Amino acid sequence: MNAARIRVWTAGQYNTQFALNLAKRIKAQGMTLMVDLHYSDTWADPGHQSIPSGWGSTLDQLNTAIYNYTLNVVKQFNAQGTPIDILQIGNEINGGLLWPVGQTSSGWSAPSQLLHSARNGAKDGGFTGKVMIHLADGWNSSGQSGWYKNIQIQGAFSLSDFDIMGVSFYPFYGTSATLANLQSSLNNLANTFGKPIIVAETDWPATNSCGSTTLSASYAKSPDGQTQWLQAIVNVLKAVPKGLGQGFLYWEPGWIGNANLGSGCADNLLVDGTGKARSSISMFNIN
């Protein structure tokens, strides 16, 4: 394990101060620091991209707000001696960000402008690391490639504004999330856009407690099954053309008290309820 990813909300439990404190621990271990800006006062995901309180409601206001916020976050990490290595501008933004203004269903110009403003804010704040875009449903080839083609608008967001493509790949939310579909999708992204790719979120159940949830693969619901699931993903990444498959992040290994991690399976952690590591923690040694 050589990287850790911190979610950051614009308010609430996971605010900037929370992230700054955690960043000190991550950097002290010599790990790569990844910061995931949700651009929301709460969770942002494919079904939720709420505008932060006080940011305004027009595109001009939001372009200014997202620029200033990103700039200030980057400056705060730099000031405490924990510069961000990888900055994620938005979380699972398939449908855009800062809804309804930046929703892709209303057109691509607004989300393209907002992402460009965020990127400019990071640069002007002194950010020198890599920028990652993060989309859900990494297995969906047409959805992935279509998003990147549509988001590029002259004078707004472009391929030069980011460095890494991140995807979520979960087995819980539809049987189309197969490893074969993931391979096809990531190969297409690599061949079309030539950017490094990571599986930025994934997990697998540690216990046989998924109720009626149908998974998209047949590995055992156990620590061994967790390891096999991640080994298969690593194999997919290794087969991505031009060496552009770069690694994976497990979401999230040790969240005792929220072991279902939003899925229909009761426990997807790499530790048990007492915090003791399961054998699947060895997945970080997969190569």
Side-chain angles (χ1 to χ4, degrees):
M1 186 191 298
N2 59 7
R5 174 171 167 257
I6 310 173
R7 60 179 164 273
V8 185
W9 297 352
T10 44
Q13 182 178 5
Y14 304 112
N15 62 14
T16 306
Q17 189 57 56
F18 168 89
L20 289 167
N21 294 340
L22 193 52
K24 293 177 183 178
R25 297 171 56 192
I26 293 167
K27 286 285 191 173
Q29 296 298 320
M31 301 174 75
T32 295
L33 171 61
M34 306 179 69
V35 170
D36 171 11
L37 298 181
H38 281 226
Y39 295 124
S40 180
D41 292 339
T42 184
W43 296 103
D45 56 42
H48 311 86
Q49 298 282 342
S50 300
I51 294 172
S53 177
W55 274 33
S57 58
T58 69
L59 181 56
D60 284 347
Q61 289 173 327
L62 295 178
N63 271 315
T64 299
I66 200 170
Y67 171 90
N68 287 331
Y69 171 76
T70 309
L71 180 148
N72 288 328
V73 166
V74 167
K75 281 187 171 182
Q76 289 179 75
F77 278 88
N78 286 343
Q80 76 164 12
T82 58
I84 300 165
D85 298 303
I86 298 175
L87 180 67
Q88 184 180 314
I89 50 174
N91 191 72
E92 295 186 324
I93 53 173
N94 303 58
L97 68 167
L98 302 178
W99 292 354
V101 177
Q103 200 159 7
T104 58
S105 59
S106 299
W108 290 89
S109 178
S112 183
Q113 289 182 51
L114 291 167
L115 289 171
H116 188 59
S117 295
R119 181 64 181 94
N120 284 340
K123 179 177 64 178
D124 293 347
F127 179 68
T128 58
K130 297 185 182 298
V131 171
M132 183 169 81
I133 296 296
H134 175 215
L135 303 181
D137 297 335
W139 55 268
N140 185 338
S141 185
S142 61
Q144 295 285 321
S145 60
W147 191 94
Y148 283 105
K149 290 174 182 176
N150 286 318
I151 203 67
Q152 297 178 67
I153 294 177
Q154 188 172 1
F157 199 68
S158 69
L159 283 179
S160 64
D161 280 329
F162 72 101
D163 307 286
I164 301 170
M165 293 176 163
V167 302
S168 295
F169 180 61
Y170 289 112
F172 313 107
Y173 309 120
T175 55
S176 294
T178 64
L179 292 155
N181 283 344
L182 179 68
Q183 187 78 72
S184 176
S185 178
L186 300 192
N187 288 0
N188 184 40
L189 289 177
N191 286 326
T192 304
F193 302 104
K195 300 276 188 179
I197 301 167
I198 67 170
V199 174
E201 292 183 17
T202 191
D203 56 43
W204 184 268
T207 62
N208 191 15
S209 55
C210 290
S212 60
T213 299
T214 300
L215 303 184
S216 60
S218 57
Y219 303 109
K221 301 175 184 71
S222 69
D224 283 346
Q226 292 178 308
T227 304
Q228 291 165 9
W229 171 250
L230 266 299
Q231 178 67 71
I233 290 174
V234 168
N235 291 343
V236 166
L237 289 165
K238 288 168 68 175
V240 172
K242 307 171 189 176
L244 291 172
Q246 297 289 295
F248 71 86
L249 297 166
Y250 195 93
W251 196 89
E252 99 170 53
W255 198 351
I256 297 171
N258 191 39
N260 68 327
L261 301 176
S263 77
C265 297
D267 186 353
N268 303 304
L269 304 186
L270 304 186
V271 300
D272 66 19
T274 70
K276 180 181 178 181
R278 292 171 165 145
S279 61
S280 48
I281 202 80
S282 66
M283 67 174 58
F284 296 108
N285 292 322
I286 292 171
N287 55 43

